[in-house]
Amino acid sequence: MTPRQVADYMFDQDEFSQWMNIKMIDVKEHYCLIEMPIKKEMINGLKTVHGGITFAFADSALAFSSNNSGDAAVALNCIINFTKAGKEGDIFRAESILVNTTRKTAIYDIKITNQNDDLVAKFVGTVYKIGKKVTEL
């Protein structure tokens, strides 16, 4: 399977990413660019995007980029820094880029921006390679 086919296979089973209305823009081995519209249900009591939504969006980018080789990996550690509040109607983009890989782990940098290319959050995710194929799970 190509990286795009693996990411599509995962997305077809990922009800949460579907609920967030994520769209795959670009997928290459160990890389992805995804997009998501911010809808009313994603807004918190301060009328901004709930931090958990931004985190979950970045986590989906991490999943689609770190698994698209076909080898399964799970999040081991994730850190996020929020830099700008999102609002209803915004369009978020997350770009996930492989920074380092070893036999059992990998680190990805994920940048989340809005439709104006403003930085919304910076996310760093470390994954653990579990030694199985994505299609075996």
Side-chain angles (χ1 to χ4, degrees):
M1 295 174 79
T2 67
R4 179 60 187 242
Q5 289 170 326
V6 174
D8 287 342
Y9 172 84
M10 290 177 63
F11 184 79
D12 288 344
Q13 301 175 81
D14 186 342
E15 296 292 329
F16 189 71
S17 289
Q18 290 176 41
W19 174 82
M20 289 194 299
N21 203 22
I22 288 174
K23 303 286 184 248
M24 301 265 185
I25 305 301
D26 191 16
V27 178
K28 301 173 198 156
E29 190 165 358
H30 303 296
Y31 170 91
C32 80
L33 177 65
I34 59 176
E35 190 173 89
M36 173 184 74
I38 300 302
K39 51 189 177 178
K40 182 180 178 182
E41 297 85 357
M42 298 173 169
I43 302 301
N44 65 22
L46 298 177
K47 299 181 184 172
T48 61
V49 177
H50 191 287
I53 292 293
T54 306
F55 187 99
F57 181 54
D59 188 47
S60 288
L62 177 64
F64 297 134
S65 60
S66 67
N67 285 281
N68 71 29
S69 68
D71 297 318
V74 296
L76 186 61
N77 184 52
C78 300
I79 299 167
I80 192 166
N81 288 290
F82 301 100
T83 56
K84 183 176 179 71
K87 303 279 187 189
E88 183 179 352
D90 281 352
I91 306 292
F92 279 10
R93 279 190 160 208
E95 182 178 41
S96 180
I97 299 170
L98 176 66
V99 174
N100 186 62
T101 189
T102 69
R103 187 175 57 82
K104 293 303 274 178
T105 64
I107 300 171
Y108 288 80
D109 273 344
I110 297 154
K111 182 173 77 168
I112 298 129
T113 56
N114 65 15
Q115 68 278 2
N116 300 319
D117 207 31
D118 297 325
L119 184 66
V120 172
K122 181 72 168 54
F123 181 102
V124 177
T126 302
V127 296
Y128 177 74
K129 301 170 190 177
I130 64 173
K132 294 184 179 182
K133 295 293 183 186
V134 169
T135 53
E136 294 174 351
L137 303 174

